[in-house]
Amino acid sequence: MRETLGDSTVAAADAAAGYFRSYSAVALLALIGVLFVAVAFGAGRLLRPVVPTPEKLLTYECGVDPVGEGWAHTQVRYYVYAFLYVIFAVDSVFLFPWATVFAAPGYGAATLVEMFVFLGFLAVGLLYAYKKGVLEWT
């Protein structure tokens, strides 16, 4: 059967087999990881003591017994500030790889332009948040 196929077909089949063989190692590792977690959870479920008491069924937070209602009014603006902080903190992480590429010979001008485009997008987002009144602490 192999002799009747063309050389290009045989080469393509060999390449596909090698391609899937390399992914079979990844699939096997993922399966081993899933089995490891499943066995750990199963062993925990089988070995733990199950003795429910009224104290164990109480709502618990930070070692303090719950007092009052479960609903609490929270200002959304605090989340907005936290969200803006996370955005700029994550974006600042991209500055370090950029600095290493910028220092490499031959990449200076293009990398500098790319970074100014990136910082421009950040500035537009910050300007938008300012125009919407998100950054006003009232």
Side-chain angles (χ1 to χ4, degrees):
M1 174 79 180
R2 197 171 177 112
E3 292 81 21
T4 60
L5 298 174
D7 287 339
S8 63
T9 307
V10 171
D14 288 341
Y19 178 78
F20 289 117
R21 193 175 309 114
S22 65
Y23 275 108
S24 65
V26 173
L28 180 64
L29 185 64
L31 180 66
I32 289 171
V34 167
L35 285 175
F36 182 75
V37 171
V39 167
F41 275 113
R45 176 165 257 201
L46 289 174
L47 298 175
R48 72 175 179 226
V50 180
V51 184
T53 62
E55 290 82 19
K56 288 182 180 178
L57 298 176
L58 255 177
T59 304
Y60 176 83
E61 183 171 344
C62 301
V64 179
D65 290 332
V67 177
E69 294 183 20
W71 292 97
H73 183 69
T74 305
Q75 296 289 332
V76 173
R77 67 176 170 242
Y78 301 125
Y79 293 111
V80 172
Y81 282 107
F83 186 64
L84 286 172
Y85 170 76
V86 168
I87 288 172
F88 285 103
V90 169
D91 289 341
S92 68
V93 168
F94 292 111
L95 293 175
F96 295 108
W98 170 79
T100 58
V101 170
F102 183 68
Y107 290 102
T111 307
L112 187 63
V113 169
E114 289 174 1
M115 182 48 60
F116 277 116
V117 169
F118 177 71
L119 291 174
F121 279 120
L122 288 179
V124 167
L126 190 60
L127 182 65
Y128 175 78
Y130 176 75
K131 291 286 184 183
K132 287 296 219 176
V134 170
L135 300 177
E136 294 177 10
W137 192 274
T138 56

CSV table of all heavy atoms in Angstrom, one decimal, residues 22 32 44 48-49 51 65 74-75 77 84 102 107 109-110 117 127 130 133 136-137:
chain,number,residue,atom,x,y,z
A,22,SER,N,3.9,14.1,19.0
A,22,SER,CA,4.3,15.1,20.0
A,22,SER,C,3.2,15.6,20.9
A,22,SER,O,3.5,15.9,22.1
A,22,SER,CB,5.0,16.3,19.3
A,22,SER,OG,4.0,16.9,18.5
A,32,ILE,N,-2.4,12.4,33.3
A,32,ILE,CA,-1.8,12.0,34.6
A,32,ILE,C,-2.1,13.1,35.6
A,32,ILE,O,-2.4,12.8,36.8
A,32,ILE,CB,-0.3,11.8,34.4
A,32,ILE,CG1,0.0,10.6,33.6
A,32,ILE,CG2,0.5,11.8,35.7
A,32,ILE,CD1,1.4,10.4,33.2
A,44,GLY,N,-9.2,12.2,49.9
A,44,GLY,CA,-9.7,13.1,51.0
A,44,GLY,C,-11.1,12.9,51.4
A,44,GLY,O,-11.4,13.0,52.5
A,48,ARG,N,-11.7,11.6,55.3
A,48,ARG,CA,-12.0,12.7,56.3
A,48,ARG,C,-13.2,12.2,57.2
A,48,ARG,O,-14.1,11.5,56.8
A,48,ARG,CB,-12.4,13.9,55.6
A,48,ARG,CG,-13.7,13.9,54.8
A,48,ARG,CD,-14.1,15.2,54.2
A,48,ARG,NE,-15.3,15.1,53.5
A,48,ARG,CZ,-15.6,15.5,52.3
A,48,ARG,NH1,-14.6,16.1,51.7
A,48,ARG,NH2,-16.8,15.3,51.8
A,49,PRO,N,-13.2,12.7,58.4
A,49,PRO,CA,-14.3,12.4,59.3
A,49,PRO,C,-15.5,13.3,58.9
A,49,PRO,O,-15.3,14.5,58.6
A,49,PRO,CB,-13.8,12.7,60.7
A,49,PRO,CG,-12.7,13.7,60.5
A,49,PRO,CD,-12.1,13.4,59.1
A,51,VAL,N,-18.7,14.6,60.8
A,51,VAL,CA,-19.4,14.7,62.0
A,51,VAL,C,-20.0,16.1,62.0
A,51,VAL,O,-19.5,17.1,62.6
A,51,VAL,CB,-18.5,14.5,63.2
A,51,VAL,CG1,-19.3,14.5,64.5
A,51,VAL,CG2,-17.7,13.2,63.1
A,65,ASP,N,-18.5,35.6,65.0
A,65,ASP,CA,-19.9,35.2,64.7
A,65,ASP,C,-20.6,36.2,63.9
A,65,ASP,O,-20.4,37.4,64.1
A,65,ASP,CB,-20.6,34.9,66.1
A,65,ASP,CG,-20.0,33.7,66.8
A,65,ASP,OD1,-19.5,32.8,66.1
A,65,ASP,OD2,-20.1,33.6,68.0
A,74,THR,N,-22.0,48.4,49.4
A,74,THR,CA,-20.6,48.7,49.0
A,74,THR,C,-20.6,49.7,47.9
A,74,THR,O,-21.3,49.5,46.9
A,74,THR,CB,-19.9,47.4,48.6
A,74,THR,OG1,-20.1,46.4,49.6
A,74,THR,CG2,-18.5,47.6,48.3
A,75,GLN,N,-19.7,50.6,48.0
A,75,GLN,CA,-19.6,51.6,46.9
A,75,GLN,C,-18.9,51.0,45.7
A,75,GLN,O,-17.8,50.4,45.8
A,75,GLN,CB,-18.8,52.8,47.4
A,75,GLN,CG,-19.4,53.6,48.5
A,75,GLN,CD,-20.6,54.4,48.0
A,75,GLN,OE1,-20.7,54.7,46.9
A,75,GLN,NE2,-21.6,54.6,48.9
A,77,ARG,N,-17.4,52.6,43.3
A,77,ARG,CA,-16.2,53.3,42.9
A,77,ARG,C,-15.0,52.7,43.5
A,77,ARG,O,-13.9,52.8,42.8
A,77,ARG,CB,-16.3,54.8,43.3
A,77,ARG,CG,-16.3,55.0,44.8
A,77,ARG,CD,-16.3,56.5,45.1
A,77,ARG,NE,-16.5,56.7,46.5
A,77,ARG,CZ,-17.6,57.3,47.1
A,77,ARG,NH1,-18.5,57.8,46.3
A,77,ARG,NH2,-17.7,57.4,48.4
A,84,LEU,N,-9.0,49.8,37.8
A,84,LEU,CA,-8.0,50.7,37.1
A,84,LEU,C,-6.6,50.4,37.5
A,84,LEU,O,-5.6,50.4,36.7
A,84,LEU,CB,-8.3,52.2,37.3
A,84,LEU,CG,-9.5,52.7,36.5
A,84,LEU,CD1,-9.9,54.1,37.0
A,84,LEU,CD2,-9.3,52.6,35.0
A,102,PHE,N,14.2,46.7,23.6
A,102,PHE,CA,14.7,48.0,23.2
A,102,PHE,C,16.2,48.1,23.3
A,102,PHE,O,16.8,48.8,22.5
A,102,PHE,CB,14.0,49.0,24.0
A,102,PHE,CG,14.4,50.4,23.7
A,102,PHE,CD1,13.9,51.0,22.5
A,102,PHE,CD2,15.2,51.2,24.5
A,102,PHE,CE1,14.3,52.3,22.1
A,102,PHE,CE2,15.5,52.5,24.1
A,102,PHE,CZ,15.1,53.0,22.9
A,107,TYR,N,16.7,47.0,17.1
A,107,TYR,CA,15.2,47.1,17.4
A,107,TYR,C,14.8,48.4,18.0
A,107,TYR,O,13.7,48.6,18.3
A,107,TYR,CB,14.8,46.0,18.4
A,107,TYR,CG,14.9,44.6,17.8
A,107,TYR,CD1,15.9,43.7,18.1
A,107,TYR,CD2,13.9,44.1,16.9
A,107,TYR,CE1,16.0,42.5,17.5
A,107,TYR,CE2,14.0,42.9,16.4
A,107,TYR,CZ,15.0,42.0,16.7
A,107,TYR,OH,15.1,40.8,16.1
A,109,ALA,N,14.3,51.8,17.1
A,109,ALA,CA,13.3,52.7,16.6
A,109,ALA,C,11.9,52.1,16.5
A,109,ALA,O,10.9,52.7,17.0
A,109,ALA,CB,13.7,53.3,15.2
A,110,ALA,N,11.8,50.9,16.0
A,110,ALA,CA,10.5,50.2,15.9
A,110,ALA,C,9.9,49.9,17.3
A,110,ALA,O,8.7,50.1,17.5
A,110,ALA,CB,10.7,48.9,15.1
A,117,VAL,N,2.8,53.8,21.0
A,117,VAL,CA,1.4,53.4,20.6
A,117,VAL,C,0.7,52.8,21.8
A,117,VAL,O,-0.4,53.1,22.1
A,117,VAL,CB,1.5,52.5,19.3
A,117,VAL,CG1,0.1,51.9,19.1
A,117,VAL,CG2,1.9,53.3,18.1
A,127,LEU,N,-8.0,58.8,29.8
A,127,LEU,CA,-8.8,60.0,29.5
A,127,LEU,C,-10.3,59.7,29.4
A,127,LEU,O,-11.1,60.5,29.9
A,127,LEU,CB,-8.3,60.6,28.1
A,127,LEU,CG,-9.0,61.9,27.6
A,127,LEU,CD1,-8.7,63.0,28.6
A,127,LEU,CD2,-8.5,62.2,26.2
A,130,TYR,N,-11.6,59.5,32.9
A,130,TYR,CA,-11.6,60.8,33.5
A,130,TYR,C,-12.9,61.6,33.0
A,130,TYR,O,-13.6,62.2,33.7
A,130,TYR,CB,-10.4,61.6,33.2
A,130,TYR,CG,-10.4,63.0,33.7
A,130,TYR,CD1,-10.2,63.3,35.0
A,130,TYR,CD2,-10.6,64.1,32.8
A,130,TYR,CE1,-10.3,64.6,35.5
A,130,TYR,CE2,-10.7,65.4,33.3
A,130,TYR,CZ,-10.5,65.6,34.6
A,130,TYR,OH,-10.6,66.9,35.1
A,133,GLY,N,-16.1,60.7,34.6
A,133,GLY,CA,-16.2,61.0,36.0
A,133,GLY,C,-15.8,59.9,36.9
A,133,GLY,O,-16.1,59.9,38.1
A,136,GLU,N,-13.2,60.8,39.9
A,136,GLU,CA,-13.6,61.8,40.9
A,136,GLU,C,-14.0,61.1,42.2
A,136,GLU,O,-14.9,60.3,42.2
A,136,GLU,CB,-14.7,62.7,40.4
A,136,GLU,CG,-14.3,63.5,39.2
A,136,GLU,CD,-15.5,64.3,38.7
A,136,GLU,OE1,-16.5,64.4,39.3
A,136,GLU,OE2,-15.3,64.9,37.6
A,137,TRP,N,-13.3,61.4,43.3
A,137,TRP,CA,-13.6,60.8,44.6
A,137,TRP,C,-14.6,61.7,45.3
A,137,TRP,O,-14.3,62.8,45.7
A,137,TRP,CB,-12.3,60.8,45.4
A,137,TRP,CG,-12.5,59.9,46.6
A,137,TRP,CD1,-12.9,60.3,47.8
A,137,TRP,CD2,-12.2,58.5,46.7
A,137,TRP,NE1,-12.9,59.3,48.7
A,137,TRP,CE2,-12.5,58.2,48.0
A,137,TRP,CE3,-11.7,57.6,45.8
A,137,TRP,CZ2,-12.3,56.9,48.5
A,137,TRP,CZ3,-11.6,56.3,46.3
A,137,TRP,CH2,-11.9,56.0,47.6
